[in-house]
Each structure stands twice: as C-alpha cells, then as structure tokens.
C-alpha cells in the first residue's frame, strides 16, 4: 500500500511538471466515410515522458481527473485542436476535416467552463462548425439541466456535439431527445461483437435506428475488420473509426493521408 501511494504521489508530481514543461502531445485517429475517405479525426492525448517515452492514457487520465488537473490539461487539448482547425481552414484539402475533442464530465461541470472555452475560441479563431465535442452519458447523471444549458450556449456558437460510448452509461432516452446532439458514437464494445453476439448486434441496430429517428449522425468506433464494417454499412451506419482505418498518428501523417487521398 505504501509503495502504491508513493508511486501515485510521484506520478502526480510528474503530471504537474508535464503541464509546466509542455510534455503533452496530440495524436489523431482517422474517421472515414463509407468509401474510406477521411472526413475527420479524434484528438487523443499522449504524454511524452522524458524518461518513459509515451505513457498510456489509461495510466494518467484517472489521476488527472482525481487531482483536478484535467481542467488545465483539457483546456490545452481543446486549444491545440482549435489551433489545428484554424491552420487547416486555409487549405482547400483540409478545411472540411472535423476534429473531435473529448470533454471530461468534471471539466464540463466547472463553473467557469464556458468562459474558458470561449476564451480558447477567441484566441484561436477556429472554424467552430468543424469542431465536435465528445461528451459521455455520465455527464447527465448529475445537474442535467446545467449540462444542457452549457451545451446550448456552445451550440449557438457553431460547435457540434457527439455522445461518446453510447449505450454503456446513463442511457435515458427521454432526456436524450432534449439534448442538442449532432451525433451518436457506438461504443467499440458493441461494435466488436456484432458478428458473434445477437444481443450486441441488436443493440447496434437499434442505436442506428434511434439516431436516424432523432435526425442524428452515427459513427461506429473500434472497427477492426472489414466484416464489421460491411455489417455496419448493411444496417445503415456510414461513418467509422478504428484500427481498420488507422491508429492514432501525428498531424503530419493525417495531412499526408489527405494529400494521398486527393491524388487517388
């Protein structure tokens, strides 16, 4: 127990240094349409540790949240993504790409969340219609109306919202209809079982139908094999993310992929 406590204290100290010395990196995972053409990316945080190299998000994200550092790091992620969108806005090949940014429920519930986000928008001058904020169902377990009001304020600026990990959390369908959402993201735990599990297949099929009835886009994450994509397409899902289409890579790799796509 003492060893675990000391390791946690050391990791927390290193996380604070990571923020101070800008050791964070953003990698981007491709999102594609039914033809395999790149339509957007999800921004994923990585920690470039000076001794350990890239540290797994599963190791440090929970500590960021428990210490409250997620607010500052989350703002850094949003600003980096917005700066990237602002840069892409000047390119006819890149200006239609969207960037999805995960927002922690803890970050979203902060009293000054809207103020901090709007300041990021002012500093970067990003085209907000190309920005998607990904929120999870746990955001709506507490203070649902407050979350909805904040979403509406950002929606008025042009920001779009995607509900991440759909089906794994709160899943109040009555409240879902009241949220200013643009997209449902089918969780990979369901996607990866559609070929083997009738129950998971039924959940995914129902989610696609629900999204259509609510006039929402739908994207499936965790697509790893062509058979999964074929099944999803046959059931009406036409946007995908997963290792079948690419792992998280640097922005240079994304831009190179778009360039190659334009000559294909």
């Amino acid at each position: 127990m003492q060893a675990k406590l000391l390791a946690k204290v050391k990791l927390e100290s290193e996380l604070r240094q990571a923020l101070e010395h800008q050791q964070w990196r953003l990698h981007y995972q491709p999102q594609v349409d039914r033809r395999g053409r790149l339509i957007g990316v999800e921004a994923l945080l990585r920690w470039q540790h000076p001794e350990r190299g890239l540290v797994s998000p599963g190791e440090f994200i929970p500590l960021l949240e428990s210490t409250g550092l997620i607010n500052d790091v989350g703002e850094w992620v949003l600003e980096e993504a917005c700066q990237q969108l602002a840069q892409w806005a000047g390119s006819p090949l890149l200006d239609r790409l969207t960037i999805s940014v995960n927002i922690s429920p803890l970050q979203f519930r902060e009293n000054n969340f809207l103020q901090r986000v709007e300041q990021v928008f002012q500093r970067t001058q990003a085209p907000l219609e190309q920005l998607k904020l990904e929120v999870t169902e746990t955001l709506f377990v507490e203070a649902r109306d407050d979350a909805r009001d904040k979403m509406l304020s950002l929606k008025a600026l042009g920001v779009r919202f995607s509900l991440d990990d759909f089906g794994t959390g709160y899943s109040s369908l009555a409240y879902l209809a009241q949220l200013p959402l643009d997209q449902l993201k089918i969780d990979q735990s369901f996607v990866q079982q559609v070929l083997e599990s009738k129950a998971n297949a039924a959940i995914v099929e129902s989610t696609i139908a629900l999204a259509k009835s609510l006039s929402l886009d739908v994207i499936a994450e965790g697509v790893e094999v062509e058979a999964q994509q074929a099944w999803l397409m046959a059931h009406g899902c036409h946007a995908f993310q997963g290792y079948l289409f690419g792992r998280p890579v640097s922005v240079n790799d994304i831009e190179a992929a778009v360039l190659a796509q334009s000559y294909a």
Side-chain angles (χ1 to χ4, degrees):
M1 289 178 63
Q2 183 178 6
K4 288 182 178 180
L5 179 60
L6 290 174
K8 181 179 179 181
V9 170
K10 183 176 185 293
L11 185 61
E12 181 179 341
S13 174
E14 291 177 338
L15 282 173
R16 295 184 186 278
Q17 292 177 22
L19 184 60
E20 181 180 353
H21 298 296
Q22 299 186 352
Q23 294 171 3
W24 305 116
R25 302 289 183 269
L26 278 192
H27 284 190
Y28 297 93
Q29 186 168 28
Q31 297 176 337
V32 304
D33 64 13
R34 61 182 301 163
R35 296 178 297 170
R37 296 186 68 84
L38 193 65
I39 56 175
V41 294
E42 180 180 358
L44 298 168
L45 181 65
R46 298 291 184 264
W47 178 14
Q48 186 66 52
H49 193 281
E51 298 174 1
R52 299 167 58 190
L54 284 178
V55 181
S56 167
E59 185 174 345
F60 65 83
I61 292 293
L63 192 55
L64 286 179
E65 293 189 332
S66 66
T67 58
L69 289 172
I70 192 66
N71 295 310
D72 290 335
V73 176
E75 182 177 340
W76 179 89
V77 171
L78 180 62
E79 183 144 0
E80 285 291 305
C82 285
Q83 286 178 350
Q84 193 59 66
L85 283 175
Q87 291 180 25
W88 285 348
S91 167
L93 292 178
L94 299 164
D95 61 358
R96 293 189 178 182
L97 290 182
T98 62
I99 295 183
S100 299
V101 176
N102 293 281
I103 302 294
S104 164
L106 295 175
Q107 187 182 353
F108 207 97
R109 293 181 187 131
E110 281 293 301
N111 292 332
N112 65 345
F113 172 72
L114 278 180
Q115 180 183 2
R116 295 180 71 164
V117 169
E118 289 171 358
Q119 288 173 351
V120 168
F121 295 162
Q122 290 172 5
R123 289 194 296 268
T124 60
Q125 294 297 299
L128 299 182
E129 65 277 6
Q130 301 304 114
L131 176 66
K132 281 192 291 186
L133 299 184
E134 292 196 4
V135 296
T136 60
E137 295 168 282
T138 53
L139 176 63
F140 310 109
V141 175
E142 301 175 8
R144 296 177 303 174
D145 292 338
D146 177 65
R148 180 176 180 271
D149 290 344
K150 288 177 179 176
M151 291 175 70
L152 286 170
S153 295
L154 293 173
K155 183 86 170 177
L157 299 177
V159 176
R160 290 186 277 175
F161 283 93
S162 178
L163 188 58
D164 196 11
D165 301 337
F166 182 72
T168 63
Y170 185 52
S171 297
S172 172
L173 299 184
Y175 194 71
L176 181 64
Q178 303 173 27
L179 295 174
L181 293 169
D182 300 276
Q183 183 183 71
L184 293 185
K185 194 170 194 180
I186 306 173
D187 187 69
Q188 60 181 343
S189 62
F190 300 126
V191 170
Q192 292 172 2
Q193 295 294 319
V194 293
L195 302 177
E196 295 84 16
S197 167
K198 289 184 178 180
N200 281 281
I203 290 172
V204 173
E205 189 173 0
S206 298
T207 300
I208 295 170
L210 175 63
K212 184 176 180 180
S213 68
L214 294 174
S215 299
L216 300 176
D217 295 331
V218 62
I219 184 171
E221 68 174 353
V223 182
E224 296 185 349
V225 296
E226 291 181 356
Q228 292 170 348
Q229 183 191 18
W231 187 98
L232 289 161
M233 289 177 60
H235 290 82
C237 178
H238 304 302
F240 314 95
Q241 178 179 342
Y243 288 170
L244 179 61
F245 313 102
R247 294 176 178 268
V249 294
S250 70
V251 67
N252 291 336
D253 290 334
I254 292 294
E255 292 173 350
V258 173
L259 184 62
Q261 179 176 279
S262 68
Y263 287 110

